[in-house]
Amino acid sequence: NAGVTQTPKFRVLKTGQSMTLLCAQDMNHEYMYWYRQDPGMGLRLIHYSVGEGTTAKGEVPDGYNVSRLKKQNFLLGLESAAPSQTSVYFCAADFSGANVLTFGAGSRLTVL
Amino acid sequence: LAKTTQPISMDSYEGQEVNITCSHNNIATNDYITWYQQFPSQGPRFIIQGYKTKVTNEVASLFIPADRKSSTLSLPRVSLSDTAVYYCLVGASYQKVTFGIGTKLQVIP
């Protein structure tokens, strides 16, 4: 039982490149979230999903897109990466929306 | 969503009990109080959740006064491995979950 798995763990991009971060959960949880964490900033919510086929904007959605085509997967896309998107990205899943989140190990992204 | 205020940092010696207080003056009737722990280079980990009075599990206790405008996370007899950032969250079910900066706890030998 892996819980929440994020791939890749590390990635270096050049400005303007695109990429997708994959979050996979094997817990059959309805809710999924993408956060970014920058030094001294805590975690900021990018996008979230309350179920398969649904997505919604969080606090800092600009420059990111998401998709939840399957219940177990939540994808975070960067269409044109910018240095300001250098960060550690965390995915999380919640069974019932009761604010009890299980987090992945994180994906460290550097945009040069 | 209710705004929370907690100390930015705290220091404690090993073996002491640590209490971290979170203020949430505009908490709503349906809101729960949830605490998370985050170690460096890891994702946050759920510690405890409560609605009112006191909740205890194998890791911590959560004290919530009757007016629910604050809450206190209590860690008994901390060790060096408890050095982490602790986040207080307030919100109801089915709302987007947002984190603040948290409290950085440093346990000193």
Side-chain angles (χ1 to χ4, degrees):
Chain A
N1 186 349
V4 177
T5 303
Q6 294 182 226
T7 53
K9 288 185 170 49
F10 302 94
R11 183 74 187 269
V12 178
L13 288 177
K14 294 181 180 178
T15 297
Q17 287 185 319
S18 64
M19 75 157 296
T20 300
L21 297 175
L22 170 63
C23 177
Q25 54 110 350
D26 61 3
M27 302 175 291
N28 201 35
H29 286 188
E30 289 292 337
Y31 292 71
M32 296 188 75
Y33 304 83
W34 274 109
Y35 293 89
R36 61 176 288 174
Q37 186 169 37
D38 303 298
M41 297 289 291
L43 286 91
R44 292 184 291 171
L45 181 64
I46 305 172
H47 285 282
Y48 65 103
S49 169
V50 300
E52 180 178 311
T54 74
T55 63
K57 294 180 180 180
E59 302 171 275
V60 289
D62 293 343
Y64 304 95
N65 57 75
V66 288
S67 65
R68 184 99 181 267
L69 299 179
K70 294 183 179 180
K71 186 177 183 179
Q72 63 268 34
N73 295 336
F74 195 28
L75 279 65
L76 178 70
L78 285 72
E79 293 180 345
S80 179
S84 62
Q85 294 178 304
T86 293
S87 188
V88 179
Y89 292 85
F90 289 102
C91 176
D94 181 359
F95 175 67
S96 61
N99 301 343
V100 179
L101 276 63
T102 300
F103 279 83
S107 297
R108 183 175 294 275
L109 175 65
T110 301
V111 183
L112 302 175
Chain B
L1 296 172
K3 178 179 170 58
T4 60
T5 302
Q6 52 183 125
I8 293 175
S9 65
M10 295 178 66
D11 291 337
S12 177
Y13 288 102
E14 270 192 300
Q16 289 188 329
E17 178 184 73
V18 171
N19 295 312
I20 305 174
T21 296
C22 179
S23 298
H24 27 81
N25 291 322
N26 61 338
I27 188 169
T29 302
N30 295 331
D31 286 346
Y32 285 81
I33 300 158
T34 312
W35 286 80
Y36 286 80
Q37 174 190 58
Q38 185 180 26
F39 298 114
S41 301
Q42 295 185 24
R45 180 176 75 106
F46 169 84
I47 301 176
I48 197 166
Q49 184 181 68
Y51 183 80
K52 61 180 179 181
T53 62
K54 176 183 174 182
V55 180
T56 298
N57 61 22
E58 66 278 5
V59 176
S61 294
L62 178 60
F63 299 92
I64 306 168
D67 66 5
R68 303 200 328 124
K69 294 184 183 297
S70 67
S71 59
T72 299
L73 175 73
S74 181
L75 304 173
R77 297 180 299 281
V78 294
S79 65
L80 295 177
S81 62
D82 293 314
T83 293
V85 178
Y86 293 83
Y87 298 94
C88 167
L89 281 69
V90 174
S93 298
Y94 313 116
Q95 289 183 356
K96 56 187 180 184
V97 182
T98 59
F99 287 71
I101 296 175
T103 298
K104 185 173 184 178
L105 172 65
Q106 180 69 51
V107 180
I108 305 165

